[in-house]
Amino acid sequence: MKFSESWLREWVNPALSSAELAHQITMAGLEVDSVDPVAGEFSGVIIGEVVECGPHPDADKLQVTKISLGDYSSATVEKGELVTIVCGAKNCRKGLKVAVATVGAVLPGDFNIKKAKLRGVASFGMLCSESEIGLADDSAGIMELAQDAPVGSCVREYLDLNDVTIDVDLTANRGDCLGIKGLAREVGVLNSLAVTEPTITAVVPTIDDVLTINVEAKQACPRYLGRVIKGINPKATTPLWMVEKLRRCGTRSIDPVVDVTNYILLELGHPMHAFDLAKLGSGINVRFANQDEKLTLLDEKEVTLKEGTLVIADDGVLGKGNALAMAGIFGGLDSGVTSNTTDIFLESAFFAPLAILGKARQYGLHTDSSHRYERGIDPTLQHDAIERATELLLSIVGGQAGPVVEAKSEADIPQTKDVSLRREKLDSRIGHHIDDEQVSEILTRFGFTVSTTGDGVARVWQVIVPAYRFDIKIEVDLIEEVARIYGYNNIPNVAPKAMLKMREQKEAKLSLMNLKLVLVNRDYQEAITYSFVDPKVQTLLHPGAEVMTLPHPISSEMSVMRLSLWTGLLQSMVYNQNRQQGRVRLFEAGLRFVPDESVENGVRQQNMLAGVIGGLRVDEHWSMEKAASDFYDIKGDVEALLALTGDAQAYEFSKAEVEALHPGQTAQITKNGVFVGHVGTLHPELERKLGLNGRTLVFELLLSEVLVQKIPEASDISRFPANRRDLAIVVKEDVDAKKVLQLIEKVGGNYLIDLNLFDVYQGQGIEEGYKSLAITLVLQDTSKTLEEKDITDVIDRVVETLKTELNASLRD
C-alpha cells in the first residue's frame, strides 16, 4: 500500500518528520518498505502564463511564446517582464498555465537551464513537461496547470512536491489499513490525535432513473448499492490535484470516472466500479457464474468462468443475462466506460472475503480491488463510498444523479464482535502493567465501544469491536493492539525469573546409553528398524500369536505391528549377509506391541533391547583361532549387560522352550522369579526359511527389568587373610550346577565371601550318570583371622547339606 504523506496529513497531522512517521508506523506493526520523494530534485521552476504563442519563423515544429511570470523576479528576469521561450510541444497555446524553468534553474539529473538560440530565435528558459521535473516517466507535451494556478509562484510549493510516498507492507490481517482512512485512524491512535475526515453528504437525486438490483448469492454479496448518473461530460479531464494524489499512491490517471473510483479505493479503502448504462439491461443480478461462461475483461482477455466465481450480470432484458464483470476482481470490456460514455451506473458493494479469496489467482489475476476484498472491507462503508464518489463525479464531469438503490441481506452482513480483555491476562502476556485509564483510552481511540467491570487484577474490559476489524476475534488480539500502541520499546526488558530446581534423578536408574555402550564395545552395531513388519516373517517367529494389523499400511510387507524386535533385526541380518557381510552383530532398542485387552487401548507397549549375531566369533586374524559364534558368546554378552545392574546374581538363566529357537540351546532369563527375556540359537528350520547363512543367535530383554541397578552398600574391608578351600562334589548328571552353588551360598554363613565353579568333569573315575563339580569357597572374617575349626565347621556344614539335599558326596 503506497500513500502520499501530504494526503495522510490532511486527515491527521502528527508533529513528526517523515522519517519519524515511517519509524512509528513500522514499530506499530505496519512495516514501511520505502520512503521515496514524489518528484525529482529541481529548483527555479515557476508558474507562468502563455500570453502569446506563434509559429517559429524558421521551424515548422517549433513555437515562439511570450510567458508572463507575474511579480516574479530574479537575476535574469525583471519583475513584470515577458520571457521569450521557444517550445516544441503541440499542446502549447495562449492562456495556458505552465511550469517554466527560467535561466539558472536546475532540473533533475543536475541539468542547468541556460539562455539558448533555437533556429535564430533566443530562448530564455524552458516550458516543462511532467517527465522533465520527475513527475512521470514520459509525457506527450508540456505540463498543463489549473487555470487558478497563481502566476509567479514556485511550482514545487504549489504542487507540494516536497511530499514523499510511503510504501507500507501490510500483513494479510490488516485490510482495514488499505486506505488513507484506515491509515489515518492508525496514526491518530498512535499519536492521541483526532482524525479529520472529509465531510460526506448525501447527494440529492435530480432524476428518478434507477436499475433494479437482484442478489441471488446473498451470502457472498450481503449488500449491493447502485446509482444511475446521466449526462456526464465525456471530454472532461481529471483535475491535477486528483491526478497527483493517484500518482503518488502508484495509480496512473485514466479518465475522470475511473479516476474517481480509484480515488475512493485509495481514500476510503473501498473498491468501486462504474458501468456504461447504455450497455446494461433494466437491472443487475449478482450471482455465481455458470460453468464455462465466457467474459471478456477490460484488458481484452477472454476468460472462461468457473462455478463458484461471483459475477455481476445484467437481468437478461437485452439478451442472455450475460456476466458483466467478475465481482470484486475485474470489470468486463463490453460494459466498461469509454470516452463516449455519457450515462453510467455506479456500484458500491460488500463482497464477503471468502467469496473472493483465491478467485483472482485462479485466472492469473491480482487487482487492487481483489486485494482488498480478500482481506475484508468495512461492511458499513458502502453508502459513504457511493455518496463521496457521486459528489466528486458531479463536480468533475457534471451530470445528474438518481437515487441510491440498495439490496441487502442483513443476516449475512458481518456484525460487531464482543470480546473480553482481562487485566490478569494482559499483564501476564506482555509482562508489564499498563494503567487502566491508558488501556481504556487506547481501545476507545480505535473506535471500539469499551465498558469495564471489576477492579485491580479482577478488572475486565468488555470491548465491542467494529465489523471492519476482521483481525480481532479473541482476547489475545486485543492484547496485541494494546501492546503495539503502547509501544513495544516502552515495555521494559525484564529477565524472566526462574526458580532453579534439580530434577529428580533416581540413583537406582540405569541409563540405556550405558547398555548400548557395552554392546558397542563388544563389537555390536546399533540398528533402527520399522515398528511395522512383514506378517509372513512375524508368523514364522511367533506362530499363532495375536497381532495388531494396520488399517492403512504403507505396503503389505509392513502391515502389522511387531511382537518382538527380532523380526526387523533378522531381516537386517539377511540383508547384510546377502551383501557379503559374513560377520554381523546388531542390536536395537525400541517398542514391541502386544495385543492385550486388559490394558488401555488394547495394546501393551513394552520397551525392549534385542540383539542378533552370526558368523565368526572374532574377525579372521593370524593370531586367533577361527571359530563360529555359539550360545555361550551371546550369553556372555547378555551377562555383561546384566552385570551393569550390580545385581547379576539375582538373574537366573534356565532352560526354556521357544518355537523360534533351537531346543536345548535356549534359556529364559528371570529376576527373582520375574520374566526378563530370552537368549538362544535360532531354530535351524527357521534359519532356512528366512534365508540366513549359518548359525544365528539372538537375545531380547525387557528394559523395565534391566534398567534398575542395585545401590552399592559400603562395608568394612577385612584386614585379615582370606582362606580358600576347594571341594570336588559328585552329583547326579541331571543336577544343575547352579542349584549346587545356591545351596552352598545359603548355608555358607557370613564367612563365605566368594564362590566359584571352576571345573566340571565326567569320565574315568566317575560313575556313569554322575558328574564331578570342582568348587572354590573363599572364607574371611572382618574381625579376626579364621581358625581351622571355624573353617572346618563351614565346610562340614556345606558337605552335610549337599549330601542331605542332593545326595552328593565328596570325590575321592
Side-chain angles (χ1 to χ4, degrees):
M1 166 69 184
K2 288 185 177 180
F3 68 92
S4 162
E5 180 187 358
S6 64
W7 193 2
L8 176 68
R9 289 185 184 273
E10 291 176 12
W11 290 65
V12 59
N13 191 11
L16 300 172
S17 66
S18 298
E20 290 170 337
L21 177 62
H23 177 72
Q24 183 185 64
I25 293 174
T26 295
M27 294 308 295
L30 312 180
E31 183 181 358
V32 172
D33 278 350
S34 63
V35 179
D36 302 309
V38 300
E41 286 295 325
F42 65 87
S43 61
V45 180
I46 309 301
I47 298 175
E49 182 178 4
V50 180
V51 296
E52 292 183 20
C53 184
H56 191 287
D58 296 322
D60 294 338
K61 295 184 179 181
L62 297 179
Q63 300 182 78
V64 179
T65 66
K66 295 290 185 180
I67 307 297
S68 170
L69 298 178
D71 294 336
Y72 175 77
S73 63
S74 67
T76 58
V77 179
E78 294 184 5
K79 184 178 180 180
E81 178 186 2
L82 295 180
V83 179
T84 300
I85 297 177
V86 178
C87 175
K90 294 180 180 181
N91 64 328
C92 183
R93 59 190 181 274
K94 183 179 178 179
L96 189 64
K97 297 290 181 70
V98 293
V100 182
T102 59
V103 174
V106 180
L107 298 184
D110 204 23
F111 180 69
N112 292 287
I113 301 299
K114 300 177 182 179
K115 176 183 175 182
K117 185 173 286 189
L118 300 176
R119 293 291 184 94
V121 178
S123 180
F124 297 89
M126 182 175 75
L127 303 186
C128 299
S129 66
E130 286 91 340
S131 61
E132 287 165 335
I133 58 175
L135 297 183
D137 294 332
D138 54 50
S139 51
I142 60 174
M143 185 177 183
E144 298 185 19
L145 300 176
Q147 284 302 304
D148 60 355
V151 175
S153 298
C154 175
V155 168
R156 178 172 283 277
E157 293 178 0
Y158 170 68
L159 295 178
D160 190 22
L161 297 182
N162 293 319
D163 189 16
V164 295
T165 293
I166 300 177
D167 189 0
V168 178
D169 185 11
L170 294 171
T171 52
N173 65 324
R174 293 311 305 271
D176 60 298
C177 289
L178 286 168
I180 295 295
K181 180 183 177 77
L183 284 168
R185 181 171 50 226
E186 193 79 9
V187 173
V189 173
L190 290 169
N191 295 279
S192 301
L193 294 175
V195 176
T196 305
E197 299 188 23
T199 303
I200 300 176
T201 56
V203 175
V204 178
T206 55
I207 58 175
D208 297 327
D209 298 66
V210 296
L211 284 185
T212 59
I213 298 173
N214 176 48
V215 179
E216 291 183 11
K218 289 182 170 57
Q219 287 187 333
C221 179
R223 174 174 279 150
Y224 189 96
L225 279 66
R227 163 176 266 165
V228 171
I229 301 177
K230 284 190 168 184
I232 68 172
N233 178 11
K235 304 302 179 184
T237 58
T238 305
L240 182 61
W241 64 266
M242 182 177 287
V243 172
E244 269 298 289
K245 284 186 174 179
L246 294 176
R247 182 186 71 83
R248 297 177 194 189
C249 294
T251 303
R252 66 182 181 89
S253 174
I254 298 174
D255 62 61
V257 176
V258 176
D259 288 349
V260 166
T261 59
N262 285 336
Y263 184 86
I264 299 302
L265 179 139
L266 293 170
E267 182 182 62
L268 302 181
H270 192 293
M272 298 186 69
H273 187 67
F275 298 93
D276 188 329
L277 185 64
K279 300 173 183 177
L280 305 181
S282 61
I284 290 292
N285 185 24
V286 184
R287 60 173 174 81
F288 287 110
N290 300 317
Q291 184 66 33
D292 298 331
E293 187 174 2
K294 305 290 184 180
L295 174 64
T296 302
L297 303 176
L298 285 170
D299 60 2
E300 301 183 1
K301 293 181 180 178
E302 185 180 71
V303 295
T304 301
L305 299 175
K306 304 173 183 177
E307 291 184 1
T309 300
L310 192 66
V311 297
I312 311 299
D314 62 28
D315 58 3
V317 172
L318 298 182
K320 303 176 182 178
N322 293 329
L324 304 173
M326 295 171 66
I329 299 175
F330 217 144
L333 181 65
D334 296 338
S335 61
V337 175
T338 68
S339 58
N340 298 318
T341 299
T342 58
D343 303 328
I344 64 172
F345 176 74
L346 193 63
E347 76 164 18
S348 175
F350 173 77
F351 301 119
L354 291 179
I356 309 299
L357 186 65
K359 295 298 187 295
R361 288 189 292 275
Q362 289 181 0
Y363 301 93
L365 300 172
H366 180 79
T367 64
D368 289 336
S369 178
S370 67
H371 185 74
R372 285 163 174 78
Y373 276 122
E374 285 180 342
R375 285 154 177 76
I377 64 169
D378 188 347
T380 65
L381 201 57
Q382 287 69 51
H383 281 282
D384 283 351
I386 201 167
E387 295 294 356
R388 175 70 166 155
T390 303
E391 181 185 12
L392 291 171
L393 280 171
L394 295 180
S395 67
I396 296 171
V397 298
Q400 295 180 302
V404 174
V405 178
E406 179 181 10
K408 69 175 180 179
S409 172
E410 195 68 48
D412 296 312
I413 297 175
Q415 303 298 313
T416 57
K417 299 177 284 290
D418 196 341
V419 184
S420 298
L421 172 61
R422 294 167 291 171
R423 160 60 68 185
E424 181 183 10
K425 183 66 71 173
L426 175 65
D427 290 351
S428 66
R429 282 300 177 101
I430 66 176
H432 180 63
H433 182 85
I434 302 174
D435 292 340
D436 292 349
E437 295 76 13
Q438 193 169 3
V439 173
S440 298
E441 181 190 0
I442 290 172
L443 296 174
T444 303
R445 288 206 309 269
F446 270 120
F448 303 162
T449 302
V450 182
S451 60
T452 59
T453 58
D455 292 310
V457 179
R459 180 174 287 274
V460 176
W461 287 268
Q462 206 64 36
V463 181
I464 298 177
V465 182
Y468 63 81
R469 286 302 301 268
F470 290 90
D471 59 312
I472 297 180
K473 299 177 181 178
I474 56 177
E475 185 176 31
V476 291
D477 297 329
L478 290 177
I479 294 173
E480 180 186 6
E481 294 299 288
V482 172
R484 69 184 186 85
I485 299 304
Y486 179 76
Y488 295 124
N489 288 340
N490 295 325
I491 298 175
N493 295 324
V494 179
K497 293 182 180 180
M499 303 303 293
L500 296 179
K501 182 180 179 181
M502 295 295 292
R503 290 188 301 172
E504 182 180 350
Q505 183 66 36
K506 295 182 179 179
E507 190 176 357
K509 183 178 180 181
L510 183 62
S511 171
L512 175 60
M513 182 58 67
N514 290 347
L515 272 66
K516 289 183 177 182
L517 289 175
V518 167
L519 292 173
V520 170
N521 289 335
R522 298 177 80 87
D523 220 10
Y524 281 76
Q525 301 286 332
E526 184 173 10
I528 299 176
T529 64
Y530 286 106
S531 295
F532 20 90
V533 296
D534 189 336
K536 297 177 181 178
V537 175
Q538 183 151 274
T539 301
L540 293 175
L541 290 168
H542 306 282
E546 185 182 356
V547 298
M548 279 186 64
T549 303
L550 298 174
H552 304 290
I554 297 174
S555 67
S556 60
E557 289 77 20
M558 305 174 77
S559 59
V560 297
M561 303 302 292
R562 63 188 179 192
L563 293 172
S564 77
L565 276 58
W566 288 344
T567 311
L569 287 175
L570 289 171
Q571 288 180 291
S572 297
M573 170 75 82
V574 173
Y575 182 90
N576 279 273
Q577 288 182 345
N578 289 342
R579 282 153 184 79
Q580 300 179 357
Q581 300 300 311
R583 183 174 183 268
V584 181
R585 301 170 72 87
L586 301 174
F587 78 91
E588 180 178 9
L591 289 172
R592 73 173 181 181
F593 305 86
V594 181
D596 187 346
E597 294 299 330
S598 65
V599 300
E600 188 178 358
N601 299 325
V603 60
R604 187 159 29 93
Q605 300 184 46
Q606 295 175 311
N607 269 306
M608 309 296 292
L609 177 65
V612 55
I613 66 174
L616 297 177
R617 181 174 296 159
V618 293
D619 284 326
E620 290 185 84
H621 192 268
W622 61 269
S623 65
M624 298 182 183
E625 182 182 352
K626 185 176 179 180
S629 300
D630 60 19
F631 173 81
Y632 293 102
D633 291 315
I634 198 165
K635 181 174 181 286
D637 295 333
V638 173
E639 288 175 332
L641 292 173
L642 301 179
L644 290 178
T645 65
D647 196 19
Q649 64 275 14
Y651 295 90
E652 181 176 352
F653 290 79
S654 58
K655 184 178 179 181
E657 297 290 337
V658 178
E659 290 185 84
L661 303 183
H662 195 298
Q665 297 185 32
T666 302
Q668 175 179 281
I669 309 168
T670 56
K671 179 183 181 183
N672 300 323
V674 177
F675 174 79
V676 175
H678 286 107
V679 58
T681 305
L682 204 63
H683 197 289
E685 181 63 18
L686 190 56
E687 289 176 351
R688 184 185 64 79
K689 290 180 179 179
L690 292 176
L692 290 163
N693 297 328
R695 184 187 299 164
T696 304
L697 304 114
V698 295
F699 75 84
E700 188 170 42
L701 306 175
L702 274 168
L703 282 174
S704 59
E705 300 302 324
V706 295
L707 288 182
V708 179
Q709 59 184 340
K710 184 178 181 181
I711 305 299
E713 295 182 5
S715 60
D716 293 337
I717 297 176
S718 178
R719 296 176 295 167
F720 303 99
N723 295 270
R724 170 175 173 157
R725 294 292 186 270
D726 293 339
L727 293 178
I729 304 297
V730 178
V731 294
K732 288 185 178 181
E733 188 177 7
D734 59 356
V735 175
D736 287 341
K738 186 172 184 65
K739 189 172 183 180
V740 174
L741 296 176
Q742 288 175 340
L743 197 57
I744 295 174
E745 187 175 1
K746 180 179 178 181
V747 300
N750 295 332
Y751 292 159
L752 182 63
I753 64 170
D754 193 15
L755 184 65
N756 182 42
L757 171 67
F758 64 89
D759 185 48
V760 178
Y761 175 73
Q762 287 179 289
Q764 187 177 357
I766 303 298
E767 185 180 349
E768 187 176 351
Y770 286 81
K771 60 185 176 182
S772 172
L773 304 178
I775 303 171
T776 294
L777 288 75
V778 179
L779 306 173
Q780 189 180 37
D781 189 25
T782 57
S783 61
K784 64 179 182 179
T785 299
L786 291 177
E787 296 180 359
E788 187 63 29
K789 181 180 181 302
D790 300 323
I791 298 171
T792 302
D793 288 343
V794 172
I795 298 299
D796 290 345
R797 188 165 60 249
V798 167
V799 172
E800 185 62 29
T801 302
L802 292 175
K803 180 179 180 180
T804 303
E805 297 290 337
L806 301 176
N807 195 26
S809 62
L810 290 175
R811 180 180 173 184
D812 295 333

